[in-house]
Amino acid sequence: MQIIPVPGNLEISTFDQLANELAKGGEEKVLFDARHLRWVDPGGIVGLLAAGAAARERQGTPPRLQLVEAGDVATYLARMNFFEAAESIFELDIQPPRRSWNSSDVLLEVTPITTNTDVHAVVDRVQQQAGTILSRTLNYPASAVVQFSVILSEVCQNIIEHAEAPGWVAAQTYNWAKRLGKQVLTISVMDVGKGFKGSLADTHAARFGDRWGDATALEAAFIHGLTRFPDSGRGQGIQQIRKQVRRWDGTISIRSGTARIADVPDWDEAPPLEEHLPPFPGAQIHIVLPAREAGNG
């Protein structure tokens, strides 16, 4: 059995550790050891689901997931609807806590995305609460609700149009007191499908020749706006998301295959392009939107 230790802090910055451990495996059954998990954010939650789904796809059997049965992490995972999504992926070693509460800082619990109907349902469900979080917590103008809904719709639609595999989305606000000194909204969307290289290959691989790879495919979509659609005007979602996130001084990163590309503001020290990462299927999109100064519309 391959035992994969889950980092104590599981977030987008430690996701590569999961990918790296998973890439070492062979034919043996996988056990995700999350008994030392102490903190997890939306990126970590959907990342764990994606890693479990990738392991299940590789082995043909569900991997095991070990969690501490009692404590804040299990309670939080229940609040985020993690266990509902996990039941179809993992063999769970604990009885999930009951979910009988809501939280004002959770914009969107873990939600599977498999059809266009799922995308519409997600947007409809978050619009009212998005207004509260964006205006009261992040000091965004009222018009931001529509723009945010477009972003959310586009990142989810990316799964339907490109992945050809299941995906998940989650979003929540946090107080980044030490890192940024303000509230932020994080949105994570992941799938275990074809990835950008696989999605764009038929349309664009030939023109890049030997340069074609995960990083080149990400640059083609993220920077140059190339899509898998032959007609112009379709598939421009990533470009529009990037522009809007930049207007809000936010950051967006996309990991696919063995590469990650990012549009980073001054407050973020992440590199704009990373290559030779541990291979992982599909695409993983992460967005962080910081609060504005009060009165700055």
Side-chain angles (χ1 to χ4, degrees):
M1 174 176 285
Q2 181 190 11
I3 300 176
I4 296 180
V6 176
N9 281 5
L10 184 56
E11 53 186 324
I12 201 68
S13 63
T14 57
F15 173 75
D16 286 344
Q17 296 179 36
L18 283 183
N20 185 50
E21 291 296 326
L22 191 61
K24 297 177 182 177
E27 299 300 323
E28 68 270 39
K29 187 176 177 66
V30 175
L31 166 64
F32 289 90
D33 183 0
R35 292 174 297 171
H36 302 290
L37 182 61
R38 295 294 177 265
W39 191 86
V40 60
D41 72 352
I45 293 175
V46 295
L48 184 56
L49 290 170
R56 180 168 185 144
E57 177 68 21
R58 186 180 71 188
Q59 303 301 329
T61 58
R64 287 178 58 198
L65 175 62
Q66 287 185 329
L67 286 163
V68 175
E69 188 160 359
D72 293 341
V73 169
T75 301
Y76 172 67
L77 290 174
R79 173 163 58 114
M80 288 295 288
N81 285 352
F82 168 80
F83 292 105
E84 285 85 342
E87 285 176 346
S88 62
I89 298 172
F90 297 101
E91 291 178 1
L92 296 172
D93 281 7
I94 70 169
Q95 182 67 33
R98 290 187 176 183
R99 186 190 186 283
S100 58
W101 56 89
N102 293 308
S103 176
S104 59
D105 63 349
V106 177
L107 175 60
L108 181 65
E109 297 89 350
V110 174
T111 305
I113 302 294
T114 57
T115 67
N116 283 309
T117 301
D118 294 333
V119 177
H120 298 317
V122 162
V123 174
D124 290 343
R125 191 161 78 236
V126 305
Q127 280 201 351
Q128 182 175 357
Q129 192 165 353
T132 301
I133 286 180
L134 290 173
S135 62
R136 296 182 185 177
T137 305
L138 302 184
N139 298 314
Y140 282 36
S143 59
V145 176
V146 175
Q147 296 159 335
F148 175 78
S149 297
V150 171
I151 288 178
L152 187 61
S153 176
E154 291 289 352
V155 291
C156 292
Q157 195 68 39
N158 185 74
I159 295 174
I160 306 301
E161 294 189 348
H162 301 281
E164 297 182 5
W168 306 267
V169 57
Q172 186 177 5
T173 59
Y174 290 94
N175 182 8
W176 277 15
K178 293 183 179 179
R179 181 174 177 183
L180 194 56
K182 60 177 66 178
Q183 292 283 128
V184 299
L185 171 62
T186 66
I187 309 159
S188 285
V189 182
M190 297 191 184
D191 67 74
V192 289
K194 297 171 64 175
F196 277 72
K197 177 184 173 184
S199 177
L200 299 175
D202 289 345
T203 311
H204 300 293
R207 77 168 72 177
F208 290 96
D210 293 341
R211 292 180 52 224
W212 186 248
D214 291 315
T216 303
L218 284 173
E219 288 179 320
F222 196 74
I223 297 175
H224 303 295
L226 300 185
T227 78
R228 70 186 181 93
F229 300 107
D231 52 322
S232 62
R234 290 196 65 192
Q236 298 294 321
I238 293 297
Q239 285 282 291
Q240 296 306 314
I241 294 168
R242 184 184 175 203
K243 290 177 182 177
Q244 186 58 58
V245 170
R246 180 181 291 178
R247 291 189 192 105
W248 288 339
D249 196 33
T251 179
I252 174 173
S253 68
I254 304 178
R255 189 194 197 283
S256 186
T258 59
R260 179 187 291 108
I261 197 167
D263 198 351
V264 291
D266 292 340
W267 55 264
D268 192 346
E269 297 179 353
L273 181 65
E274 297 172 85
E275 299 183 71
H276 312 299
L277 300 175
F280 195 83
Q284 298 79 47
I285 302 176
H286 190 67
I287 298 172
V288 178
L289 303 175
R292 293 186 171 198
E293 298 299 327
N296 182 6

